[in-house]
Amino acid sequence: SCHGDTDKIFTTFGEVSNYNLARILANSLKLKRLFFSACKVGNIDFSEIIATRNKGMHSIVAPVQKIRFDHAAAVWNALYLSLFTENENGMTHDGIVSRLKALRELFPIDFHFSGYNSHDKDNPWSHQVIKKQQAGKIPRIILPIKKVAEAPVAKTETVVA
């Protein structure tokens, strides 16, 4: 988690370009997934720069636009909890994408997902933007409300002295 933009991230000590970040992470993400909670980092260029230096990594997920801190905390918590409740030993591309699609109905965040497919030799990395639901299209959850019997009202007396 950090601040970011389309071509860099910002750390406590300054900014790091996507290219330099890829150099720093080179060969350390094999068989791993990278989840970034940084504004605007989710894009094809970021994914391709990171993936080029990390052969064998599985996927990359990041927000496409600015993300509020409270939304980020809730989204990542819900995503991880849901994925590891299903399988505490791992996660799949389809599992990640389906949960991001579910979460877009609750939070106004577009996510970029890049996934590696070893069976596609011509284009092994696929990219997709999972767009937030538009206003008015968000399903409303309506729970039935039971009518609660009214509590008896205590009678009061006025005493005149």
Side-chain angles (χ1 to χ4, degrees):
S1 181
C2 59
H3 294 289
D5 208 332
T6 55
D7 60 345
K8 63 185 146 261
I9 62 166
F10 302 95
T11 71
T12 305
F13 304 108
E15 64 184 52
V16 180
S17 71
N18 291 348
Y19 176 77
N20 283 334
L21 181 62
R23 282 189 25 231
I24 293 166
L25 297 175
N27 302 315
S28 62
L29 298 174
K30 185 174 185 174
L31 302 177
K32 305 246 188 299
R33 299 180 186 279
L34 180 62
F35 294 89
F36 245 92
S37 184
C39 298
K40 302 181 184 178
V41 172
N43 60 72
I44 292 174
D45 290 340
F46 175 77
S47 293
E48 289 183 350
I49 289 169
I50 298 294
T52 300
R53 297 275 186 140
N54 285 283
K55 301 295 183 202
M57 74 178 297
H58 291 301
S59 61
I60 301 171
V61 178
V64 174
Q65 78 282 4
K66 286 186 174 184
I67 182 171
R68 289 175 29 181
F69 178 79
D70 56 341
H71 288 174
V75 165
W76 296 117
N77 189 16
L79 178 70
Y80 296 137
L81 180 64
S82 176
L83 287 165
F84 289 123
T85 297
E86 180 179 299
N87 179 357
E88 63 186 39
N89 296 315
M91 56 186 78
T92 64
H93 288 5
D94 291 341
I96 295 167
V97 170
S98 69
R99 280 158 181 86
L100 289 172
K101 286 180 178 178
L103 288 168
R104 74 180 174 187
E105 295 183 15
L106 299 172
F107 300 96
I109 304 165
D110 292 344
F111 279 99
H112 185 269
F113 174 85
S114 296
Y116 182 75
N117 179 356
S118 62
H119 302 296
D120 188 346
K121 300 298 179 196
D122 295 329
N123 191 16
W125 279 90
S126 65
H127 306 278
Q128 63 180 299
V129 174
I130 300 162
K131 293 194 166 280
K132 63 186 167 268
Q133 291 288 346
Q134 298 300 316
K137 294 184 179 181
I138 297 173
R140 302 208 184 275
I141 300 170
I142 301 174
L143 300 174
I145 300 173
K146 290 184 179 180
K147 186 169 182 167
V148 178
E150 290 182 12
V153 178
K155 293 186 179 184
T156 58
E157 293 180 17
T158 306
V159 177
V160 180

